[in-house]
Amino acid sequence: MRTLLARSLAAAVLLLAAGTARAQTTSFYRPVQSMWSLSYQMGETLGDVANFIDETSWAGFRLDFRWRVRENLSAGIVTDWSRYDQTFSMLTVEQPNGAVSGPVFRYLDTFAVRATAHWYPLKGTVAPYLGVALGGIWTYDYQQVADLAATDTEFAFAGGTHVGLLLTLRPGLALDAGLSWTWTSADVGQTQDAQYLNWRVGLAWYY
Amino acid sequence: MRNRALLLTAALAALVGCYVEVPDEVISGVAVATRRDPGADFAAFQTFRINPEWKTLDGDIEVVEPMPTQIFDTIRQNLLDRGYVEDLTWIPPDGANPPDLGVQVTGVIGQVTVYYPDYWCDPYYYYSCWYWGWGSVDSYEVGTLIIDLIDLYGAPISGNLPTAWTALAYGVLGGYPTYDLPRALEGIDRAFAQSPYLQAGN
């Protein structure tokens, strides 16, 4: 009887411990788990590319996968797409030995795929993080004046930093919000030094 | 299931986000391109003479006829405003003492295009492109008004006459005079406005 009681007690302790451990691993995101996040993304152009389009992008998304590599440190891959567009009622573009003027419509698509590393300084329901991303970016720019159009596409280097936080809503699910700065070597619309500042909000699932 | 619905919604939003609609004001707008000879000294020119006849091209048909008065007057006034003096004494084409600048106007009524791949292209008409990355505009589409300032001052005794300045007002000659004329005149004024180097010396 004593043996049975002892065994039952031991089993209960083990089950409780397992339950506690499970509750701990799913109560907030730590880089001991895998996570993927889908976010709505907005953005601004910075640097010389802002001379091509300087209106806010309201169309974009970001898909982010992360895996634990160490305590408080994750590695992963992120892909994001943004559409910037702007209409100029009248624009004069100076060119070598000439100029072109007229009402102009421009848009710019950016699609980046980058490897990431993130650091989580705090643990808890609210988990801020800092990260870096390095990889490539595909850009497609289009401009049209009257019914004449010019396009250009390029694949270039992209690097940047992220800052954000995960707010756990329930075990396995968090709100993911953050800000990213990206520098690229892409020459968009005859500009150089293309930079982007994106902010986002979305949901993260971890397991 | 909920995740799938979310992904489907996100994919649908992305597709909607990819759709591009060019505003009507851009499609129906007047585009003006200008190009200058980098070696031309526009301050050295003093006098000009406009050919009162213009050449219209409609496919293979070339017609020379009197230029519409409003177009002639607008070009003339722009040149006068920049300090150039109209020379009516010269008897073209072989008279003595020609003016420094000869002005020739061409209207492309039909389609006369040159294909330059990967440059400015007309998305609605196949093989219609023009390139201005190096300052050149070498293709003419339906409804283009072309103004050439010919350098008679430095012209060689024989051979082709050098063009000192070219302006193209695109989409201004569509066959509807009441609609086209204001657009053509706007295009002429803008061509001069975006060429501040066109100024006679004192």
Side-chain angles (χ1 to χ4, degrees):
Chain A
M1 186 64 187
R2 286 170 59 185
T3 304
L4 181 64
L5 187 64
R7 283 179 180 172
S8 299
L9 190 61
V13 167
L14 282 172
L15 284 171
L16 188 63
T20 305
R22 179 178 170 77
Q24 280 176 347
T25 55
T26 55
S27 62
F28 54 87
Y29 176 68
R30 294 185 303 168
V32 294
Q33 299 159 306
S34 295
M35 183 195 92
W36 66 275
S37 165
L38 181 64
S39 303
Y40 167 60
Q41 179 170 271
M42 296 145 281
E44 296 278 355
T45 54
L46 299 175
D48 196 20
V49 73
N51 293 319
F52 185 70
I53 292 174
D54 66 358
E55 281 198 356
T56 301
S57 162
W58 298 102
F61 72 88
R62 171 189 171 102
L63 192 59
D64 190 351
F65 294 93
R66 300 180 194 178
W67 299 271
R68 172 216 179 190
V69 288
R70 278 186 174 181
E71 187 69 19
N72 294 344
L73 198 65
S74 71
I77 187 165
V78 63
T79 179
D80 67 281
W81 170 83
S82 287
R83 157 75 52 81
Y84 302 84
D85 66 69
Q86 188 165 7
T87 300
F88 303 84
S89 57
M90 182 57 61
L91 188 69
T92 300
V93 181
E94 299 293 334
Q95 293 293 308
N97 304 317
V100 175
S101 66
V104 174
F105 171 73
R106 290 173 170 171
Y107 79 84
L108 165 66
D109 281 338
T110 65
F111 181 75
V113 179
R114 291 174 288 171
T116 63
H118 287 93
W119 173 60
Y120 308 82
L122 301 173
K123 296 176 183 175
T125 305
V126 178
Y129 58 82
L130 297 169
V132 294
L134 295 174
I137 188 168
W138 174 83
T139 62
Y140 175 84
D141 64 79
Y142 176 97
Q143 50 184 329
Q144 178 167 338
V145 53
D147 57 358
L148 300 169
T151 63
D152 190 23
T153 184
E154 187 175 355
F155 189 77
F157 168 81
T161 57
H162 303 152
V163 58
L165 61 83
L166 292 162
L167 174 63
T168 298
L169 302 174
R170 61 175 173 79
L173 181 68
L175 184 74
D176 183 11
L179 198 64
S180 302
W181 169 77
T182 303
W183 178 87
T184 82
S185 60
D187 298 333
V188 174
Q190 299 176 343
T191 67
Q192 296 175 328
D193 181 30
Q195 300 174 46
Y196 307 94
L197 185 67
N198 297 102
W199 57 97
R200 66 187 182 278
V201 60
L203 291 174
W205 289 263
Y206 49 90
Y207 47 89
Chain B
M1 190 64 185
R2 194 179 298 171
N3 288 354
R4 283 184 187 171
L6 189 66
L7 283 172
L8 193 66
T9 305
L12 194 64
L15 281 174
V16 171
C18 287
Y19 177 70
V20 174
E21 183 171 9
V22 181
D24 287 342
E25 65 168 298
V26 173
I27 297 171
S28 61
V30 175
V32 175
T34 51
R35 179 181 62 172
R36 61 170 292 184
D37 174 359
D41 180 4
F42 291 93
F45 302 128
Q46 297 291 327
T47 57
F48 72 91
R49 175 74 175 270
I50 304 173
N51 185 348
E53 294 183 326
W54 71 338
K55 184 166 58 180
T56 58
L57 306 172
D58 189 351
D60 295 332
I61 302 171
E62 183 177 317
V63 177
V64 177
E65 58 188 0
M67 190 190 318
T69 307
Q70 295 95 329
I71 291 177
F72 181 95
D73 289 344
T74 303
I75 296 170
R76 176 177 177 272
Q77 192 57 52
N78 271 285
L79 287 167
L80 291 173
D81 290 345
R82 286 155 189 279
Y84 297 108
V85 178
E86 188 173 23
D87 180 358
L88 297 173
T89 61
W90 178 56
I91 302 170
D94 301 320
N97 301 318
D100 300 333
L101 291 169
V103 182
Q104 178 64 54
V105 179
T106 306
V108 181
I109 308 298
Q111 191 153 355
V112 180
T113 58
V114 181
Y115 178 49
Y116 290 93
D118 299 330
Y119 303 142
W120 281 85
C121 299
D122 188 326
Y124 307 113
Y125 300 97
Y126 192 52
Y127 280 178
S128 169
C129 304
W130 53 320
Y131 175 54
W132 51 277
W134 292 347
S136 63
V137 180
D138 297 298
S139 174
Y140 313 129
E141 178 56 90
V142 176
T144 305
L145 179 74
I146 305 164
I147 307 168
D148 287 312
L149 295 189
I150 311 297
D151 179 2
L152 300 176
Y153 179 81
I157 294 173
S158 62
N160 294 329
L161 295 171
T163 301
W165 181 80
T166 296
L168 288 94
Y170 181 86
V172 300
L173 301 175
Y176 303 96
T178 54
Y179 174 72
D180 293 339
L181 190 60
R183 293 163 62 85
L185 302 184
E186 177 201 335
I188 294 167
D189 284 337
R190 206 192 312 149
F192 281 93
Q194 71 189 44
S195 307
Y197 48 83
L198 278 177
Q199 190 70 49
N202 295 318

